Amino acid sequence: MKDLKDLSALQLKSHQAIKSSKRTKWNVPISDFARLTHNPIRAIVEGLKIVPNPDKQLIALSIGDPTTFGNLKPAPEIIDAIRKAVDNGSRNGYGPSTGFPEARQAVAEYVSHQGDVTLNDVILCSGCSCALDLCLSVLAGPGQNILIPKPGFSIYRTLAEGFGVECRYYDLIPEKNWEVDLEQLESLIDTNTAALIVTNPSNPCGSVFSKSHLEAILDIAEKHYLPILADEIYEHFVFPGQEFFAVSSLSKKVPVLSCGGLTKRFLVPGWRMGWIVIHDRDNLFQDVRKGLANLSARILGANTLVQGALPDILKNTPPAFYDDLVSTLYRHAEMAFKSIKHIRGLRPIMPGGAMYMMIGIDIERFPEYETDLEFVQGLVAEQSVFCLPGQCFEYPNYIRIVLTAPEDMIVEACKRLEEFCDKHYKLDDNVILKQQQNGFLAKLAQY
């Protein structure tokens, strides 16, 4: 009873203190969450001086939206499915926050290659980025850290830093087709590490991990009791000679949250339909399941109209549509790689999948430009070709191009890139001197 009286007295004092310190002017501070949240790509791009050459049409190989150029369109069956859902009219209202059961069942069947999945293992989200957001929100908090690939998609950092979560970058090795530096990865792990993000196939690299390499990553995660967040939005974008393995299908002990969606493969990013698939053989994610359900309720679930169309989309889209899309991207990748590998000062790395290519810049051979940012600005100013600088992915002295542009546009972009590099490429003084000496000796030999 005494404790209750003491508590009441304390509350009264607190209330009086609040009353005596009323605001005297407008002051509307933002939350720490808003202050800490920012998009590195947006910040870098907005800081660039992007002024295209007015005499040349801009070719923007920078945007990861496959619909940008209008040459890649969804299959008629996809449009028919959404039209049918609109005409039906039964999905105009709110639905369960984790998604309608029939839509979740359709996803469970669609992702059966990932392992044994039921509708209770699926949560529908407002796009794959929302799926990543929920996963990071449930796994990590202030004072913890997550492991993300470098180079890697900047959304991970954007989502994590708002929560006060530290981002630790593990290296991908360009000379090994962007495999993970396993030793360096393991050195980053401590007791505050909340999750390991594995992006496969990769944005921005376009790499596809082999089965053995994924198993090596899983061994490290299992050794350190570290759950995996698998960003597998490009899981079916795999070129000839490559094979995709879902990390969850190889895991024996490590719990995995796999994120995917309609965005890329079905060419409807604006429809905002993504999902989380929970893989948890040993019931280690019991609290995580509850947490994800709680977080889903914050926005009352994903787009219900697209949910209504989802079973038909996943069931009726013909395999030929997928095959044609991958064949187109592979053709574009080969064409760009063959052209760019002959350009002085550039080192393209042929992707194994997805829809991107990373290109190394021998920046010391372009003395007018100190960084990849300046190189990109110069390329836009002279040739009206816009690529994303590597710094957008925590990887300087590289650029990333998208492979979704029409074929003639890619050919023209490569031609302009060659003209730009030929103009600005410089040999170092020792090489120039050696060439001059060889030329002098060749002339002497003629006499």
Side-chain angles (χ1 to χ4, degrees):
M1 193 71 176
K2 182 177 181 298
D3 290 342
L4 288 175
K5 287 182 179 180
D6 290 344
L7 180 60
S8 297
L10 185 62
Q11 289 174 334
L12 179 61
K13 286 182 180 180
S14 176
H15 179 65
Q16 289 172 341
I18 292 172
K19 286 182 67 176
S20 64
S21 58
K22 293 181 179 179
R23 292 179 180 173
T24 59
K25 61 181 180 179
W26 280 103
N27 179 26
V28 188
I30 65 171
S31 67
D32 287 341
F33 179 78
R35 180 175 53 81
L36 292 171
T37 300
H38 76 288
N39 187 319
I41 289 183
R42 189 68 56 83
I44 290 172
V45 171
E46 288 179 354
L48 290 172
K49 298 175 182 177
I50 302 300
V51 183
N53 183 337
D55 297 326
K56 296 187 176 185
Q57 182 181 357
L58 178 66
I59 301 176
L61 302 181
S62 56
I63 306 169
D65 180 346
T67 71
T68 297
F69 303 99
N71 58 315
L72 302 177
K73 300 180 184 297
E77 290 82 0
I78 298 172
I79 303 303
D80 289 344
I82 199 73
R83 186 179 290 117
K84 178 182 174 182
V86 172
D87 292 342
N88 180 276
S90 65
R91 288 292 180 259
N92 294 331
Y94 294 125
S97 60
T98 58
F100 286 107
E102 57 269 32
R104 289 188 286 126
Q105 177 62 35
V107 172
E109 294 171 5
Y110 175 74
V111 301
S112 60
H113 61 281
Q114 294 183 8
D116 294 331
V117 179
T118 72
L119 68 89
N120 294 322
D121 299 316
V122 176
I123 293 176
L124 300 184
C125 307
S126 182
C128 189
S129 57
C130 176
L132 292 166
D133 187 17
L134 295 187
C135 290
L136 284 171
S137 300
V138 79
L139 291 176
Q144 293 184 290
N145 64 77
I146 58 170
L147 308 182
I148 62 180
K150 185 179 73 172
F153 187 29
S154 67
I155 193 71
Y156 311 135
R157 175 180 166 187
T158 298
L159 297 173
E161 289 186 340
F163 294 114
V165 175
E166 177 191 358
C167 295
R168 295 184 178 180
Y169 297 94
Y170 64 86
D171 293 332
L172 306 181
I173 306 171
E175 295 80 13
K176 294 185 177 181
N177 291 317
W178 302 109
E179 284 191 347
V180 177
D181 184 334
L182 298 172
E183 184 176 345
Q184 186 260 350
L185 164 66
E186 189 166 13
S187 72
L188 300 174
I189 301 171
D190 62 22
T191 55
N192 290 322
T193 304
L196 165 62
I197 296 179
V198 176
T199 313
N200 182 47
S202 167
N203 176 10
C205 304
S207 54
V208 180
F209 291 153
S210 67
K211 180 181 178 181
S212 60
H213 192 59
L214 284 169
E215 288 173 337
I217 294 170
L218 281 165
D219 286 344
I220 292 173
E222 183 176 341
K223 176 181 176 182
H224 295 278
Y225 306 98
L226 194 60
I228 286 179
L229 171 50
D231 183 351
E232 296 177 330
I233 189 65
Y234 297 100
E235 61 180 347
H236 296 290
F237 284 69
V238 177
F239 298 157
Q242 302 286 335
E243 186 174 0
F244 170 77
F245 294 93
V247 67
S248 56
S249 70
L250 303 176
S251 175
K252 297 180 176 63
K253 295 287 186 181
V254 179
V256 177
L257 297 179
S258 177
C259 296
L262 294 184
T263 301
K264 310 296 184 180
R265 193 184 193 200
F266 295 86
L267 303 177
V268 287
W271 289 13
R272 310 309 301 140
M273 177 53 61
W275 49 72
I276 301 167
V277 183
I278 303 168
H279 299 276
D280 183 25
R281 293 180 177 83
D282 296 326
N283 294 317
L284 302 173
F285 269 165
Q286 285 184 319
D287 289 340
V288 169
R289 287 178 184 271
K290 295 175 185 176
L292 287 171
N294 293 344
L295 291 169
S296 297
R298 287 172 59 86
I299 61 168
L300 299 180
N303 186 308
T304 54
L305 187 62
V306 182
Q307 287 188 55
L310 196 54
D312 283 346
I313 290 174
L314 298 180
K315 179 181 178 181
N316 297 335
T317 303
F321 168 76
Y322 308 133
D323 294 342
D324 288 347
L325 176 58
V326 171
S327 294
T328 297
L329 294 173
Y330 179 55
R331 187 172 67 252
H332 291 184
E334 276 199 313
M335 182 170 46
F337 178 76
K338 288 177 181 177
S339 296
I340 297 171
K341 73 177 183 178
H342 297 298
I343 299 176
R344 294 192 300 173
L346 298 185
R347 292 172 286 103
I349 299 175
M350 179 64 188
M355 50 188 233
Y356 310 102
M357 180 186 294
M358 288 287 276
I359 303 167
I361 309 168
D362 295 331
I363 200 69
E364 70 277 1
R365 295 290 181 255
F366 301 96
E368 295 167 74
Y369 308 109
E370 292 186 3
T371 66
D372 53 310
L373 300 177
E374 293 181 8
F375 183 93
V376 165
Q377 287 179 162
L379 180 61
V380 174
E382 290 187 20
Q383 298 290 344
S384 292
V385 175
F386 182 30
C387 314
L388 281 186
Q391 289 188 35
C392 290
F393 311 102
E394 305 292 336
Y395 217 74
N397 297 335
Y398 274 77
I399 54 175
R400 188 201 75 174
I401 64 171
V402 299
L403 303 169
T404 54
E407 196 166 306
D408 59 342
M409 196 175 287
I410 292 178
V411 170
E412 176 63 20
C414 291
K415 177 184 175 184
R416 294 186 194 178
L417 190 55
E418 184 173 14
E419 289 177 3
F420 178 80
C421 289
D422 281 348
K423 177 181 177 181
H424 297 281
Y425 184 91
K426 298 290 186 297
L427 295 170
D428 64 33
D429 292 340
N430 290 332
V431 173
I432 293 172
L433 179 60
K434 188 173 182 179
Q435 288 183 343
Q436 290 174 340
Q437 290 172 341
N438 289 340
F440 177 70
L441 291 173
K443 286 182 180 181
L444 285 177
Q446 295 175 359
Y447 293 101

